[in-house]
Amino acid sequence: MDDEEKICEFIAAFLIKEGHNVSIANLGEEGIKKINNENIDLIILDRMIPDISGDDICKIIKNKNIKTPIIMITAKTEIDDRVEGFELGCDDYICKPFSPKEMVVRVNAMLRRCNINSSEYMKFNNGLEVNKNIRKVKIRGEDIELTKTEYEIIELMTRNPHKIYTREELLEKVIDESYDKLDRVIDTHIKNLRKKIEIDSKKPKIIKTVYGVGYKLEN
């Protein structure tokens, strides 16, 4: 996210050339929505954004316990400014002006450091595979695209296969505070998940309904 659209596009072009998928947000509110709804491996965050400061966005990310690494970019070059950036929770700090090549090197190094490219998948008997390092899911050997909330539900359930999660538990752990925490919100996400991972979503064998209680993952 950056307040200067041309800088965003310039950085994105270099990262795409390196084989990275890039999603751009020019406003803080737009960026927060993307973080909440997309599976993001790394965040490049500018400190000076018109609607919400980069500092506040960094605080929001860390308060939500989102582990996605953050590279902060800024025109502030004083040591104290950089220290403040790290104290806010960023993982790396780049001062303007900078070379796009340096950005690419920093991004690749951060991804390696955070083990983002690990190919280790946790495998389950039902054909489900989950890689918590890169937040990716496979079903019967095929990659599937999940929203952030769908992934969080699956990831939570794989921690304790066969554990019955009540709707209240799922709401508390995976639904963003900005959304109304209603039972039907979880039911809608489960319905969408089943369409993606079940052979027959009307006769689910992976995410089972425990009537009157909630849901559980069958392994």
Side-chain angles (χ1 to χ4, degrees):
M1 294 176 287
D2 196 290
D3 59 323
E4 300 177 45
E5 294 185 24
K6 289 183 178 179
I7 292 179
C8 281
E9 293 171 359
F10 198 47
I11 294 172
F14 273 82
L15 291 173
I16 291 170
K17 188 176 180 181
E18 284 289 308
H20 298 291
N21 293 320
V22 179
S23 181
I24 298 176
N26 293 302
L27 294 175
E29 186 174 346
E30 179 188 2
I32 291 170
K33 287 180 180 179
K34 286 180 178 288
I35 292 166
N36 285 332
N37 295 302
E38 299 178 13
N39 289 326
I40 297 174
D41 296 330
L42 183 144
I43 299 165
I44 299 173
L45 175 66
D46 194 277
R47 289 191 79 170
M48 304 299 291
I49 301 174
D51 56 341
I52 305 174
S53 75
D55 290 358
D56 287 339
I57 292 172
C58 199
K59 291 176 185 177
I60 290 170
I61 292 169
K62 295 305 177 181
N63 287 339
K64 290 179 180 293
N65 201 31
I66 295 172
K67 303 298 185 183
T68 309
I70 300 170
I71 296 178
M72 186 174 278
I73 59 176
T74 182
K76 297 181 178 181
T77 59
E78 297 296 327
I79 292 295
D80 288 345
D81 293 320
R82 280 180 277 176
V83 169
E84 184 180 18
F86 285 115
E87 289 177 341
L88 287 168
C90 76
D91 299 276
D92 198 0
Y93 200 97
I94 299 180
C95 297
K96 298 177 184 177
F98 58 86
S99 162
K101 290 183 179 179
E102 178 189 2
M103 175 63 75
V104 169
V105 169
R106 298 255 192 151
V107 166
N108 289 338
M110 182 63 67
L111 293 176
R112 287 195 302 272
R113 191 183 313 160
C114 297
N115 204 26
I116 293 298
N117 292 317
S118 171
S119 60
E120 296 179 3
Y121 278 80
M122 183 186 302
K123 297 184 179 182
F124 298 86
N125 294 331
N126 54 29
L128 181 70
E129 299 178 49
V130 178
N131 187 324
K132 296 180 181 180
N133 292 318
I134 58 174
R135 297 173 62 85
K136 299 294 183 183
V137 174
K138 292 183 180 181
I139 187 70
R140 294 176 288 279
E142 298 291 329
D143 291 327
I144 58 172
E145 292 297 323
L146 300 180
T147 65
K148 178 180 181 294
T149 301
E150 290 168 356
Y151 173 82
E152 296 289 351
I153 291 172
I154 282 287
E155 197 273 336
L156 177 64
M157 287 184 165
T158 57
R159 297 178 196 174
N160 292 290
H162 302 300
K163 170 181 165 61
I164 300 172
Y165 288 91
T166 66
R167 290 176 174 83
E168 289 75 17
E169 281 182 280
L170 294 172
L171 284 167
E172 182 65 29
K173 294 181 182 295
V174 306
I175 299 299
D176 187 271
E177 292 180 1
S178 63
Y179 291 89
D180 291 333
K181 291 194 172 183
L182 303 175
D183 285 358
R184 65 174 180 271
V185 173
I186 285 295
D187 292 339
T188 298
H189 286 301
I190 294 292
K191 181 180 178 180
N192 292 335
L193 253 175
R194 284 172 168 165
K195 289 179 181 179
K196 296 178 180 181
I197 67 176
E198 301 281 0
I199 294 175
D200 183 349
S201 62
K202 295 182 179 179
K203 297 179 180 179
K205 294 185 178 181
I206 300 176
I207 298 179
K208 304 283 285 188
T209 300
V210 180
Y211 292 99
V213 184
Y215 299 98
K216 69 174 182 176
L217 182 75
E218 285 288 348
N219 182 17

